[in-house]
């Protein structure tokens, strides 16, 4: 009888111990779940505060200016469910970065187009870090050139495609918008401020033509002047072949100044890009070659005396040889490895 009560007592103690362990386990699970829920709630609160703050700044200024502290808090630190397009630049006058100012104008147009359109959303923001306000950010990212555009995605670190190829695409707002759409799936229709230069030039041209017709209404032979039309067509062809349309589409800088040496480059070193100054130089060289060919043609067909025709011939050959040599040297500087040269390397 005593052994029966002893066995029953032991079974009861084991049952009580197991029940206590089960209760303890439930309490631990509840505590962990509570901590996890509290942590998730705290994370959501921090994210909500960050998004609300960014939206407040964006409502006042499309491009949010950031220093080192703001960059680390709103761009680098989690949590984050939004992408940030950041332009790293150097706009202070003593930096003498002309390209930075030109790129900033296009970047502002892009950001304003996003801010005042249906594409406005809290899933993407536009920011800017100036070197003089956030040099520590440049050091943190090992960045030594400006301007530079980088997309910081909502998840993960920036990949290779998240750095904008400025030298290849240029910094026109339309090109930046295509890149943003590719990296974030946010399509922005670029809306530029009205530019009255084109209509004014067209109005001026029409006024000049109307004035000529009015003054010479009885004699319109000038409209049939082949030389005038040939000169106008030649100017148009030279402008187009020099790359003016590429400049209009891509919006490249006029030239590039090396921030370390201060040396100014007027010819881009890549065959995939060009500077505005480069198109002017090519236009001048093409015009010199064309003038030389015209002089050679006139020397062969005109009725002038032999002495003048010889001078025209020598001048034409000289112009063709000189300017063609310069054109070839520019071509060699852009297409590295091109084996041929003429007079100049």
């Amino acid at each position: 009888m005593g052994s029966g009560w002893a066995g029953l007592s032991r079974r009861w103690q084991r049952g009580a111990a197991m029940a206590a362990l089960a209760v303890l386990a439930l309490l631990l699970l509840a505590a962990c779940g509570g901590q996890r829920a509290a942590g998730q709630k705290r994370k959501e609160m921090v994210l909500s505060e960050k998004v609300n703050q960014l939206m407040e700044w964006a409502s006042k200024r499309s491009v949010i200016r950031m220093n080192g502290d703001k960059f680390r808090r709103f761009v680098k630190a989690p949590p984050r469910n939004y992408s940030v397009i950041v332009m790293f630049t150097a706009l202070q006058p003593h930096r003498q970065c002309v390209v930075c100012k030109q790129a900033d104008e296009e970047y502002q147009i892009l950001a304003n187009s996003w801010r005042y359109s249906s594409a406005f959303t809290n899933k993407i923001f536009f920011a800017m870090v100036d070197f003089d306000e956030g040099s520590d950010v440049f050091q943190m990212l090992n960045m030594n050139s400006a301007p530079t555009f980088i997309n910081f995605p909502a998840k993960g670190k920036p990949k290779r495609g998240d750095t904008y190829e400025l030298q290849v695409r240029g910094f026109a707002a339309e090109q930046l918008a295509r890149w943003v759409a590719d990296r974030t799936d946010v399509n922005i229709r670029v809306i530029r401020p009205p530019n009255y230069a084109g209509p004014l030039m067209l109005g001026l041209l029409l006024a000049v033509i109307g004035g000529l017709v009015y003054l010479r209404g009885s004699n319109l032979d000038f409209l049939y002047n082949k030389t005038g039309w040939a000169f106008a067509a030649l100017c148009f062809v030279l402008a187009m072949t020099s790359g003016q349309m590429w400049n209009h589409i891509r919006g490249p800088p006029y030239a590039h100044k090396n921030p370390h040496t201060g040396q100014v480059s007027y010819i881009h070193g890549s065959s995939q890009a060009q500077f505005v100054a480069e198109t002017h130089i090519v236009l001048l060289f093409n015009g010199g070659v064309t003038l030389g060919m015209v002089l050679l043609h006139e020397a062969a067909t005109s009725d002038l005396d032999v002495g003048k025709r010889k001078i025209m011939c020598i001048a034409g050959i000289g112009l063709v040889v000189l300017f063609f040599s310069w054109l070839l040297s520019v071509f060699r500087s852009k297409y590295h490895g091109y084996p041929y040269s003429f007079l100049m390397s």
Side-chain angles (χ1 to χ4, degrees):
M1 187 70 179
S3 60
W5 280 107
L8 182 61
S9 176
R10 283 195 296 269
R11 286 195 296 272
W12 183 84
Q13 290 175 354
R14 283 198 299 268
M18 292 178 64
L21 289 174
V23 171
L24 181 60
L26 290 174
L27 290 174
L28 289 174
L29 288 174
C32 291
Q35 290 179 355
R36 191 180 299 112
Q40 182 66 24
K41 186 175 181 180
R42 187 162 50 251
K43 181 179 178 180
E44 292 176 355
M45 288 180 61
V46 172
L47 179 60
S48 178
E49 290 176 0
K50 292 170 69 173
V51 172
N52 290 337
Q53 182 64 78
L54 288 171
M55 289 293 289
E56 181 182 348
W57 286 336
S59 64
K60 298 177 181 178
R61 180 180 292 179
S62 301
V63 177
I64 303 170
R65 297 184 71 97
M66 290 188 173
N67 53 22
D69 293 336
K70 289 182 179 179
F71 179 83
R72 281 184 286 271
R73 179 186 174 192
F74 292 95
V75 179
K76 296 291 290 182
R80 185 161 54 85
N81 64 350
Y82 51 85
S83 298
V84 185
I85 307 296
V86 182
M87 180 179 74
F88 299 91
T89 186
L91 294 175
Q92 297 301 317
H94 66 275
R95 298 296 176 186
Q96 297 182 352
C97 183
V98 179
V99 181
C100 294
K101 295 179 181 178
Q102 296 172 343
D104 178 64
E105 293 175 359
E106 294 295 312
Y107 190 56
Q108 296 289 343
I109 291 174
L110 173 65
N112 287 329
S113 300
W114 159 77
R115 174 64 183 84
Y116 300 104
S117 70
S118 59
F120 182 62
T121 173
N122 61 2
K123 296 302 180 182
I124 182 175
F125 295 96
F126 292 86
M128 176 176 59
V129 177
D130 192 285
F131 181 80
D132 291 281
E133 299 174 1
S135 58
D136 53 334
V137 178
F138 280 74
Q139 295 175 2
M140 178 175 60
L141 299 177
N142 294 321
M143 191 177 301
N144 54 14
S145 62
T148 300
F149 298 90
I150 300 180
N151 168 51
F152 292 87
K155 296 181 180 179
K157 297 181 179 180
K159 300 177 182 178
R160 183 176 180 180
D162 288 314
T163 299
Y164 182 71
E165 297 176 330
L166 182 65
Q167 298 295 338
V168 176
R169 297 187 176 188
F171 48 70
E174 290 78 8
Q175 292 295 328
L176 288 169
R178 295 189 186 98
W179 172 69
V180 169
D182 179 61
R183 305 313 302 176
T184 66
D185 294 329
V186 176
N187 294 291
I188 302 174
R189 180 174 174 268
V190 175
I191 303 174
R192 291 183 174 274
N195 185 356
Y196 302 104
L200 286 175
M201 291 299 296
L202 179 61
L204 179 61
L205 177 62
L206 293 176
V208 171
I209 294 175
L212 290 174
V213 171
Y214 176 78
L215 294 175
R216 303 187 61 178
S218 59
N219 184 8
L220 299 179
D221 292 341
F222 69 94
L223 293 177
Y224 302 96
N225 189 312
K226 295 181 179 180
T227 302
W229 286 110
F231 181 75
L234 181 60
C235 290
F236 178 79
V237 170
L238 290 176
M240 292 298 103
T241 55
S242 65
Q244 299 297 327
M245 187 57 67
W246 195 94
N247 292 343
H248 179 73
I249 296 173
R250 296 294 183 91
Y254 186 82
H256 174 69
K257 184 176 182 180
N258 191 309
H260 303 291
T261 63
Q263 182 179 1
V264 180
S265 299
Y266 298 102
I267 305 295
H268 199 284
S270 171
S271 61
Q272 302 297 320
Q274 67 183 20
F275 297 131
V276 174
E278 181 178 331
T279 62
H280 296 165
I281 293 172
V282 172
L283 174 63
L284 175 63
F285 290 173
N286 283 333
V289 173
T290 303
L291 178 59
M293 297 299 295
V294 170
L295 290 176
L296 288 174
H297 177 269
E298 289 298 316
T301 59
S302 67
D303 297 331
L304 298 175
D305 59 83
V306 177
K308 293 182 178 179
R309 291 168 65 182
K310 285 183 178 180
I311 294 175
M312 292 173 64
C313 181
I314 294 173
I317 293 175
L319 287 174
V320 171
V321 169
L322 180 64
F323 285 102
F324 181 77
S325 176
W326 280 338
L327 274 175
L328 195 58
S329 67
V330 171
F331 187 83
R332 280 171 55 86
S333 69
K334 296 180 69 65
Y335 291 84
H336 304 286
Y338 185 75
Y340 305 108
S341 62
F342 183 63
L343 293 184
M344 303 176 187
S345 59

